[in-house]
Amino acid sequence: EPSNSKDEMGELTNIFNDMMDQIEHSFNQQKRFVEDASHELRTPVQIMEGHLKLLNRWGKNDPIILEESLQASIQELERMKKLVQELLDLSRAEQIESKGSDSSALLLKTIQQVIKNFELIHEDFTFKLEVYGENLDNPLVQISENHLEQILIIILDNAVKYSDQIHKIDISLEEENGMVKITVRDYGVGIPDEDLSKIFHRFYRVDKARSRARGGNGLGLSIAKQLVESYSGEIYASSTLGKGTSITFTLPLIENR
Ligand code: ATP
Ligand code: MG
């Protein structure tokens, strides 16, 4: 029957289209996974390299450097291991699953550790941490320590990369309505007003030529935004062209220890 075979053809076409959609979807997912994975592993690899070079140069004769650098390397390796596992989980789950109220991180300790690692891989930069208000003695915030490190690394990586003559980065903390505000300020090239809201979009770069010279893909801030928002936080930027940029993100404050 002609009408029947037409139905069958139609059904076959639908099945075929669905299948192609699924293949395309899983292809895009894999592509995204590879992009995100390479972005997130870049800095930890650099940090590990920094510690190993330090060990190689001085650690053999200096027991303090030996101990410190070995500890830091092991810690960074642990972090990378978790990161890889998480990226794999993520690619399966398709989205960051909020860890909800059961995860917490000591904000000061985590920031200090990330700063130390950045001082190692960027010796020509100065990182300053300032805490405003007595409400923030030793804040415990609602996020997993790994995610917090990931966000800080993404923002600090940019701050360093888009600095110009002034190699100084200020990190400040303050409390506001039960949230902790973390601001990373640099004195670099800045971002034009019209681009400010777009820098959190995937693959968005302000000046393609400029960013490519500095090796960017436009991925960092979109990953940071996804992470921050999965913990009910917000992330935003303010900037003056040629003067510098501030990136601020908020996280729920659990308590002060
Ligand atoms: P990737 O992070 O993938 O290596 P990227 O740094 O270009 O690449 P994002 O971190 O998402 O990507 O940042 C997006 C864009 O926002 C950058 O290309 C840059 O133009 C601008 N930008 C981000 N941070 C700063 C900053 N601190 N100062 C000036 N411009 C910035
Ligand atoms: Mg970046």
Side-chain angles (χ1 to χ4, degrees), residues 60-72:
K60 281 173 268 185
N61 306 315
D62 186 332
I64 295 174
I65 290 183
L66 182 70
E67 173 64 22
E68 249 190 48
S69 266
L70 273 180
Q71 281 310 322

Side-chain angles (χ1 to χ4, degrees), residues 29-87:
Q29 245 179 289
Q30 282 179 42
K31 183 165 164 281
R32 187 174 173 140
F33 171 76
V34 173
E35 287 158 358
D36 285 0
S38 359
H39 183 275
E40 292 307 272
L41 289 172
R42 201 178 49 205
T43 308
V45 165
Q46 245 181 310
I47 292 169
M48 286 276 297
E49 191 187 18
H51 283 297
L52 290 178
K53 279 187 175 160
L54 195 67
L55 268 174
N56 193 37
R57 236 182 298 155
W58 313 106
K60 281 173 268 185
N61 306 315
D62 186 332
I64 295 174
I65 290 183
L66 182 70
E67 173 64 22
E68 249 190 48
S69 266
L70 273 180
Q71 281 310 322
S73 299
I74 290 170
Q75 210 175 351
E76 203 52 30
L77 198 63
E78 286 293 329
R79 211 178 77 73
M80 273 169 69
K81 225 167 82 183
K82 277 195 200 140
L83 195 61
V84 169
Q85 187 53 51
E86 205 170 77
L87 280 162

Side-chain angles (χ1 to χ4, degrees), residues 57-199:
R57 236 182 298 155
W58 313 106
K60 281 173 268 185
N61 306 315
D62 186 332
I64 295 174
I65 290 183
L66 182 70
E67 173 64 22
E68 249 190 48
S69 266
L70 273 180
Q71 281 310 322
S73 299
I74 290 170
Q75 210 175 351
E76 203 52 30
L77 198 63
E78 286 293 329
R79 211 178 77 73
M80 273 169 69
K81 225 167 82 183
K82 277 195 200 140
L83 195 61
V84 169
Q85 187 53 51
E86 205 170 77
L87 280 162
L88 286 169
D89 292 348
L90 194 69
S91 80
R92 288 193 197 102
E94 270 193 77
Q95 56 173 314
I96 293 167
E97 164 205 343
S98 166
K99 297 291 177 314
S101 53
D102 58 326
S103 56
S104 61
L106 283 169
L107 188 59
L108 285 181
K109 187 187 134 233
T110 309
I111 293 181
Q112 277 155 358
Q113 190 188 314
V114 174
I115 288 180
K116 239 183 143 185
N117 283 331
F118 264 77
E119 282 167 345
L120 175 76
I121 56 176
H122 301 288
E123 286 174 328
D124 50 335
F125 273 79
T126 312
F127 300 86
K128 201 175 81 200
L129 173 61
E130 245 173 314
V131 183
Y132 296 100
E134 64 260 38
N135 217 2
L136 292 177
D137 276 348
N138 192 10
L140 191 70
V141 288
Q142 190 178 303
I143 187 170
S144 82
E145 198 179 299
N146 273 322
H147 284 159
L148 178 57
E149 279 191 41
Q150 241 177 301
I151 297 163
L152 287 166
I153 285 176
I154 287 169
I155 298 172
L156 284 171
D157 176 58
N158 284 343
V160 166
K161 196 160 61 173
Y162 303 110
S163 280
D164 205 8
Q165 266 115 337
I166 306 173
H167 288 186
K168 191 170 77 153
I169 291 162
D170 298 333
I171 300 137
S172 62
L173 308 181
E174 56 188 310
E175 203 241 280
E176 200 179 87
N177 303 323
M179 305 289 278
V180 186
K181 279 202 326 197
I182 301 121
T183 300
V184 175
R185 175 174 169 70
D186 66 61
Y187 301 87
V189 296
I191 302 166
D193 271 348
E194 65 266 28
D195 293 300
L196 267 186
S197 60
K198 300 182 202 138
I199 58 171

Side-chain angles (χ1 to χ4, degrees), residues 177-243:
N177 303 323
M179 305 289 278
V180 186
K181 279 202 326 197
I182 301 121
T183 300
V184 175
R185 175 174 169 70
D186 66 61
Y187 301 87
V189 296
I191 302 166
D193 271 348
E194 65 266 28
D195 293 300
L196 267 186
S197 60
K198 300 182 202 138
I199 58 171
F200 297 98
H201 299 170
R202 213 171 146 78
F203 296 118
Y204 192 84
R205 294 169 315 196
V206 171
D207 175 343
K208 314 276 174 219
R210 180 183 90 184
S211 297
R212 199 172 303 117
R214 294 176 201 240
N217 290 310
L219 275 178
L221 288 178
S222 71
I223 297 173
K225 184 178 161 73
Q226 215 186 335
L227 285 166
V228 169
E229 287 178 352
S230 76
Y231 290 96
S232 329
E234 284 180 78
I235 185 166
Y236 46 89
S238 69
S239 188
T240 309
L241 206 56
K243 290 259 191 292

